[in-house]
Amino acid sequence: MNIVLFGPPGAGKGTQAALLVQRLGMFHISTGDIFRENIKNKTPLGIEAKNYLDKGALVPDSVTISMVDDTLAKLSGKKFILDGFPRNLNQAMVLESILKKLSLQVGGAIFLKVPFAPLIKRLTGRRVCKNCGAVFHVEFSPPKAAGICDKCGKESIYQREDDKEAVIEKRLKTYEESTLPLVEYYRKTGIYKEISGTEDTERVFEKIKQLIS
Ligand code: AMP
């Protein structure tokens, strides 16, 4: 089943998506990762997107939607996870027409529910490997050697600019205003599924697996 994985920043979408890729061979489409890759490579898309990411605001729909459209069009039949897209009602509606055009279907919109308080702790302590994308946490899951990624061995662990406290507040506000309404939207479409994202990673993964199998 193709799925949309959504929820507040720090809910664990990226972590769960990585497990779905590793263990079920799904294809991960993360709009945030695509933007960060473009920013790293200083492409025109990256230069445009950087301002928005640094501020914790959404990149304009026109840019984001055509990026997702291109990515979906190139899929070769693998089941996919849309992580971080859609992030507002307009993107959700346009996604439906893109899927129709490409004869694709999303069978579940899985909401990872986490209250605000743990999110702030998760986000401020989150560290990411610039090279392979592995996710760590200074307190809950630190790398074995400081600054060095357990997964790829490179010394490339860093804190995302938008995981700094000043930007987190704005990201959570953007989430509340733009993304949270998707709960009602997907409830109405009948594909809404909700999982508590406060449990440990393996339990959350098992629940997602049950929902999609
Ligand atoms: P994420 O890695 O999903 O937390 O996304 C990081 C940032 O990328 C967000 O705060 C936005 O600035 C941008 N972004 C990611 N996905 C979208 C989207 N669907 N629409 C607009 N902006 C997005």
Side-chain angles (χ1 to χ4, degrees):
M1 181 196 287
N2 297 315
I3 59 169
V4 162
L5 200 53
F6 74 114
K13 302 184 293 292
T15 303
Q16 292 300 327
L19 292 176
L20 290 162
V21 171
Q22 250 175 44
R23 300 182 187 174
L24 305 183
M26 293 177 78
F27 189 82
H28 183 198
I29 303 169
S30 157
T31 39
D33 284 352
I34 303 175
F35 286 133
R36 280 184 289 278
E37 189 61 24
N38 277 276
I39 291 171
K40 191 167 90 182
N41 296 326
K42 297 194 169 62
T43 67
L45 171 66
I47 291 163
E48 185 176 358
K50 187 174 184 322
N51 263 329
Y52 297 96
L53 270 84
D54 285 353
K55 284 192 296 214
L58 295 186
V59 178
D61 282 359
S62 53
V63 177
T64 311
I65 287 167
S66 65
M67 190 172 90
V68 172
D69 194 349
D70 289 350
T71 309
L72 287 172
K74 285 183 205 133
L75 278 184
S76 51
K78 265 193 178 179
K79 295 290 170 216
F80 62 82
I81 312 141
L82 274 170
D83 158 16
F85 185 93
R87 235 178 171 99
N88 62 28
L89 288 173
N90 180 53
Q91 292 181 6
M93 288 184 282
V94 178
L95 174 62
E96 283 195 28
S97 47
I98 295 174
L99 292 171
K100 204 176 260 174
K101 175 184 82 180
L102 298 171
S103 304
L104 293 168
Q105 272 192 331
V106 163
I110 302 176
F111 179 59
L112 283 185
K113 192 174 184 178
V114 181
F116 268 27
L119 289 176
I120 294 167
K121 199 160 186 200
R122 284 184 182 192
L123 289 166
T124 50
R126 179 161 71 178
R127 299 294 182 272
V128 185
C129 173
K130 208 165 210 150
N131 181 52
C132 73
V135 181
F136 301 89
H137 190 281
V138 286
E139 196 180 320
F140 311 138
S141 54
K144 289 191 189 88
I148 299 176
C149 177
D150 294 352
K151 203 169 149 203
C152 72
K154 292 244 162 79
E155 194 172 350
S156 48
I157 293 182
Y158 81 117
Q159 181 177 30
R160 276 170 47 174
E161 211 42 55
D162 61 349
D163 279 346
K164 295 187 177 161
E165 219 154 337
V167 189
I168 288 173
E169 205 174 305
K170 168 71 179 147
R171 288 170 68 202
L172 290 174
K173 195 158 183 284
T174 304
Y175 160 75
E176 231 177 1
E177 287 170 3
S178 303
T179 312
L180 199 54
L182 292 179
V183 169
E184 276 318 303
Y185 177 86
Y186 280 121
R187 271 210 177 104
K188 285 187 191 136
T189 65
I191 61 167
Y192 180 76
K193 297 165 199 290
E194 186 177 298
I195 292 181
S196 164
T198 51
E199 294 183 60
D200 74 69
T201 304
E202 287 299 329
R203 263 190 79 78
V204 175
F205 176 73
E206 277 311 312
K207 288 188 177 170
I208 295 178
K209 211 170 97 179
Q210 276 169 21
L211 284 182
I212 65 178
S213 54

